[in-house]
Amino acid sequence: MNDARSSLAGLARRGFLIATGATALAFSTACDAGSTTPDARNAAEGAGPRQGGRLRAAFAGGGANETLDPHAANLFVDAARAKALFDKLADFGADLAAVPRLAERWEPNDTLDTWRITLRKAAFHDGRPVTAEDVLSSYRRIADPKATFRAKASLEPIDLDASRAVDASTVEFRLKRPYAEFPNVLAAFGAYIVPKDAVAFDKPIGSGPFSFVSFTPGSSLLVKRNDAYWEGAPHLDELEFVVAGEESARAGALLSGQVAYAHELDPATARTHQGKGRIDVVRLPGSAMQGFVMKTDRPPFNDPRVRRAFFLIADRKELVDGALSGAGEIGNDLFGKGYQFYPAGLPQRTQDLDRARALLKEAGAEGLKVTLDTAPAATGFVEAGGIFKEQAAKAGVTIEVKVGNKDTYWRDILNNGTLASYRSGAMPIESHISQRLLTGSTTNATKWQRPDFDDLYQQAQSTRDAAQRGALYERMQRRLYDEGGFLIWGFADWIIATAPQVRGVSKTAPANTLDWARFDKIWIA
């Protein structure tokens, strides 16, 4: 608790922890233990959305170099702020299927290499309509060869030189190849639509549910309700994003009533305070895949029998309970549990040490010794390494856990080593395959390079019928289940918490999907 107080003191010096106005004072009072009677709270929960008030939300930040350029978004706080101020053509639903946003509808041609997008009637904060030219200008800015925007890779399939504005509300995208899952591009992280003449973002103009008021990089962003928002005005009058880098500071600010929403809390914090009335804990399921990557192009994992043995060594429940403090569910060595096109009918893999030993003996790998690279680059990485080391020892495998530099970890493990801790946020299964499992994928950490697998992916992208496309995805995933390089032992919950009087927070949306950080749907009871 002393650490929390110290962090809060630092936040107070930066100014955001000073309660201002009646709403902030109300938060401070209502968050005190016992301040809301059960009867009053039950009545409030039964009431409909209420208009008004300012909500403060605490996120980890990016320091004094933060920007409100939505195309430069990288952190969760960047994405949440961009979502408040801007819109994309589409976003991902809870099952990671694309949902129309600024795009009212989309329609491909017969060969799936041209897609026509019809825009809904929406306006920027200065009253100008959102047009096809704004869309094309935004995408061309992201795809600029000199730029390093995160959505650039996602837009690669589009031939932007050949794409055109049919009229003010219709965009025709020409693609470099057939792409049945093209709506995933429209929903890509960072693919926001900005005015065609936007060059600076110190006072950004978007089409989102809130409009800009003020911004201090590394400290806070204040926005206000956009009454003309195309989907309906938010319930809140104002929303303030405040930066608190330490988890203890976010938790402490919430408990003290200085903020009403805290993003990214530890499982231990959630366990300590859940059900005690001071805060409400929300666990967003399926937000992060957790596992290990085995490099399939080098010994010992170039032998599929060794990979199968490692699948059978893992006690997934022990890993979830130990590395994630139970805040998640077990995995089955495939990405995207619960997402569109996930093959839920495959049998759940369980630990089988006898079969694992037999496979290792068959592969001539008895007494195997291997190094597991890990780092404190994500929750549970180092802990999972230690747990898996003990599990492997029971099968006669010696694992040396090597803890590396968290700042360079992802670059270090992409091409080096043989076995490493791994995590991935939510994305469509198709995106996971295209980014990480094709021969030319730039983030192919397992070095899974199979031309016939690539051919199945291309066949899927040329298949218009979703059921037939799903059958092709299932064939691909069954092969990965049998011999792939991802040992996916769990799916972590993403944990946020709110003051008891905050309503409208989704309990089903994984992080970075449409209804995550959906502050236009939140209200104060």
Side-chain angles (χ1 to χ4, degrees), residues 69-385:
D69 183 342
H71 300 157
N74 280 303
L75 304 176
F76 283 113
V77 67
D78 297 332
R81 289 189 292 218
K83 179 181 289 189
L85 290 165
F86 300 92
D87 281 308
K88 295 187 287 186
L89 293 179
D91 212 334
F92 295 120
D95 66 349
L96 275 293
V99 177
R101 299 300 292 155
L102 282 178
E104 189 172 57
R105 61 183 180 274
W106 45 71
E107 183 67 26
N109 65 354
D110 291 340
T111 53
L112 298 174
D113 58 3
T114 299
W115 286 72
R116 184 162 285 199
I117 312 299
T118 302
L119 301 179
R120 69 177 69 253
K121 291 183 178 180
F124 291 113
H125 299 147
D126 60 4
R128 290 180 294 170
V130 178
T131 69
E133 291 295 344
D134 296 309
V135 171
L136 288 169
S137 174
S138 297
Y139 278 23
R140 285 167 180 153
R141 180 176 188 262
I142 294 169
D144 185 338
K146 298 177 183 178
T148 57
F149 298 130
R150 182 166 169 177
K152 184 176 182 179
S154 298
L155 302 190
E156 183 276 331
I158 306 175
D159 183 345
L160 284 167
D161 290 336
S163 299
R164 66 190 182 103
V166 177
D167 55 41
S169 61
T170 311
V171 185
E172 185 178 86
F173 285 113
R174 300 286 181 88
L175 308 186
K176 300 172 186 175
R177 53 189 172 273
Y179 194 3
E181 304 294 339
F182 178 67
N184 290 344
V185 172
L186 310 180
F189 185 96
Y192 291 95
I193 306 306
V194 302
K196 61 186 177 183
D197 57 357
V199 292
F201 293 90
D202 54 333
K203 296 180 180 180
I205 294 173
S207 62
F210 296 91
S211 61
F212 176 83
V213 176
S214 64
F215 178 52
T216 303
S219 180
S220 71
L221 166 69
L222 180 63
V223 295
K224 64 181 180 180
R225 179 174 57 231
N226 173 14
D227 288 318
Y229 188 50
W230 61 266
E231 201 176 24
H235 305 302
L236 300 169
D237 288 335
E238 293 180 317
L239 167 65
E240 186 177 7
F241 294 92
V242 294
V243 171
E246 298 292 331
E247 189 268 356
S248 59
R250 294 192 296 278
L254 179 62
L255 288 163
S256 68
Q258 299 293 339
V259 302
Y261 179 108
H263 186 258
E264 194 177 355
L265 297 187
D266 291 341
T269 302
R271 276 201 318 273
T272 299
H273 298 288
Q274 190 163 16
K276 296 183 179 179
R278 297 185 67 192
I279 63 174
D280 288 344
V281 175
V282 179
R283 300 173 185 271
L284 306 180
S287 291
M289 171 268 273
Q290 299 271 350
F292 304 113
V293 290
M294 301 176 284
K295 297 214 182 309
T296 63
D297 66 339
R298 67 200 66 171
F301 298 112
N302 57 343
D303 189 323
R305 293 169 296 188
V306 176
R307 301 198 295 274
R308 291 188 194 112
F310 270 59
F311 290 148
L312 296 171
I313 285 171
D315 181 333
R316 289 158 172 76
K317 186 175 188 306
E318 185 179 26
L319 283 160
V320 170
D321 289 346
L324 301 178
S325 299
E329 58 180 319
I330 61 172
N332 202 27
D333 302 322
L334 289 173
F335 178 83
K337 189 173 185 178
Y339 299 172
Q340 185 185 38
F341 300 125
Y342 182 81
L346 288 173
Q348 175 61 54
R349 200 167 258 147
T350 58
Q351 188 182 61
D352 187 339
L353 296 175
D354 289 340
R355 179 59 181 153
R357 290 190 200 97
L359 284 167
L360 291 169
K361 183 176 181 179
E362 185 181 324
E366 288 181 289
L368 177 65
K369 297 181 179 180
V370 64
T371 298
L372 168 61
D373 289 303
T374 189
T379 299
F381 267 25
V382 175
E383 293 83 355

